[in-house]
Amino acid sequence: MQETHTSEKKDWAAKLLAIAVVVFMVSSTVVLFAPDASAREGTGSFGYTFKDNLESGGPSYSTDWVELVGHSASTTLISYSTDGAQGPFDLPFDFEWYEQTMTTWGNGGDNGYITFGGVVSSQWTPYHIPATQLGKNAIAGGWFDGGFCRASNSDAGVYYATIGETPNRKFIVQYEDQGAWYPSVYQCPGTAAADALTWQIQLHEATNGVEILFEDVQGGYGSDNEYMTVGIQGTPASSLEGLEYSYRQNPDVPAETAVLFSSPEPPVNDLRLTGSSIPDPVSLAAQNIFGAEVTNKGVNCDR
């Protein structure tokens, strides 16, 4: 009996030790991964990718945010409290977007999106990206049924400016104190209308990347951001392509978030041959061997 009793004590001790090890490993894993639990990255069907500031190798909010309101003589106010679009306006540099070169842009009023190549008005209801409602080429930065109450926030509205020097310029569109439409119109001025969102879209000349930065994403009204959608879309051929970061605040976007959408690497249109640009192999051979100028009609020798 003595030996049996001793054996049972050892079995229980081993089991308790195993349980303690498992608990320690699980708790250590939670501590290890908890800081990056909300980090996000993604890849679109056309090769565009995104990373936010919590992801390794992602952008930096504190470094990249550029305040436009009251800090730049070149800042232009274009919109407040209207669902009608403004533009198109000229971009300060050619912007490569889904295998197209964009030269103009438009703002979708107070609804939190911009478009390329034309304007799209009165799209205040956000959908999944890509969304046909935003046209062929668009950036949904903070797309929701927005509005601006200038009686509560004197600087409220949509601003834009170009920052930096060629070839490293940034074209920035800033939405200052954007709130939901109802308090911005029917409760303006008021406490809910005064507590609004501020964020911006940046186009990067050097990389053709898009960065969206959110300074304040929690407003004083229930619908200020609960429908907010974030993403990009374009039409490289006949199909609409897109990449979505957040749909109607799923996942939630906290304050001081930066999301960088990068263009495909290498660029999809880096090598594009047309019928007129493909060299004739016979011509190349003649030029290399005889030092002659070859045309479709024959060989013209200079000697």
Side-chain angles (χ1 to χ4, degrees):
M1 294 297 294
Q2 182 66 32
E3 292 180 358
T4 303
H5 180 69
T6 303
S7 176
E8 289 178 355
K9 287 179 65 177
K10 289 182 178 179
D11 289 344
W12 278 109
K15 291 178 181 179
L16 289 173
L17 178 61
I19 293 172
V21 170
V22 171
V23 170
F24 173 77
M25 292 177 64
V26 171
S27 61
S28 298
T29 302
V30 171
V31 172
L32 177 63
F33 290 104
D36 293 326
S38 59
R40 296 195 64 214
E41 62 178 343
T43 302
S45 59
F46 198 71
Y48 278 83
T49 61
F50 72 73
K51 284 187 176 182
D52 64 21
N53 56 297
L54 295 179
E55 187 69 37
S56 176
S60 168
Y61 172 84
S62 60
T63 301
D64 297 347
W65 175 269
V66 180
E67 180 59 51
L68 296 189
V69 180
H71 294 278
S72 174
S74 61
T75 297
T76 301
L77 171 66
I78 58 170
S79 172
Y80 58 91
S81 295
T82 175
D83 286 320
Q86 294 83 42
F89 307 106
D90 290 337
L91 285 168
F93 46 80
D94 290 351
F95 192 69
E96 299 300 320
W97 186 252
Y98 284 90
E99 284 201 317
Q100 302 174 74
T101 300
M102 298 302 172
T103 60
T104 63
W105 72 285
N107 175 61
D110 53 16
N111 297 305
Y113 62 86
I114 68 172
T115 53
F116 294 121
V119 298
V120 177
S121 295
S122 303
Q123 292 299 323
W124 52 79
T125 302
Y127 296 88
H128 275 296
I129 302 295
T132 57
Q133 292 80 4
L134 295 187
K136 294 183 177 181
N137 301 282
I139 300 172
W143 183 18
F144 70 104
D145 190 3
F148 298 100
C149 176
R150 292 178 67 83
S152 293
N153 298 294
S154 59
D155 291 328
V158 183
Y159 298 78
Y160 72 90
T162 302
I163 304 298
E165 301 294 333
T166 305
N168 297 304
R169 290 172 291 179
K170 293 181 181 181
F171 176 70
I172 304 174
V173 181
Q174 180 166 322
Y175 291 75
E176 180 76 13
D177 293 319
Q178 179 189 17
W181 178 79
Y182 178 74
S184 296
V185 175
Y186 291 104
Q187 296 178 329
C188 177
T191 303
D195 186 7
L197 288 56
T198 295
W199 55 277
Q200 62 185 213
I201 296 171
Q202 298 183 2
L203 307 185
H204 295 189
E205 178 184 22
T207 62
N208 293 299
V210 172
E211 190 171 358
I212 306 176
L213 302 99
F214 300 92
E215 180 184 71
D216 176 13
V217 202
Q218 297 297 324
Y221 186 70
S223 296
D224 272 355
N225 63 357
E226 68 183 58
Y227 296 117
M228 188 178 75
T229 294
V230 182
I232 64 173
Q233 65 183 51
T235 311
S238 58
S239 62
L240 185 63
E241 308 283 347
L243 180 57
E244 182 178 283
Y245 176 76
S246 176
Y247 173 66
R248 298 193 175 209
Q249 281 295 92
N250 184 22
D252 183 63
V253 180
E256 297 191 353
T257 291
V259 187
L260 178 63
F261 292 86
S262 300
S263 60
E265 294 292 344
V268 175
N269 60 347
D270 205 32
L271 178 62
R272 181 180 298 175
L273 297 178
T274 64
S276 60
S277 63
I278 300 175
D280 177 17
V282 176
S283 301
L284 289 177
Q287 291 178 34
N288 291 334
I289 297 174
F290 301 109
E293 179 187 351
V294 181
T295 68
N296 291 332
K297 297 180 182 180
V299 180
N300 299 323
C301 296
D302 293 331
R303 299 177 181 176

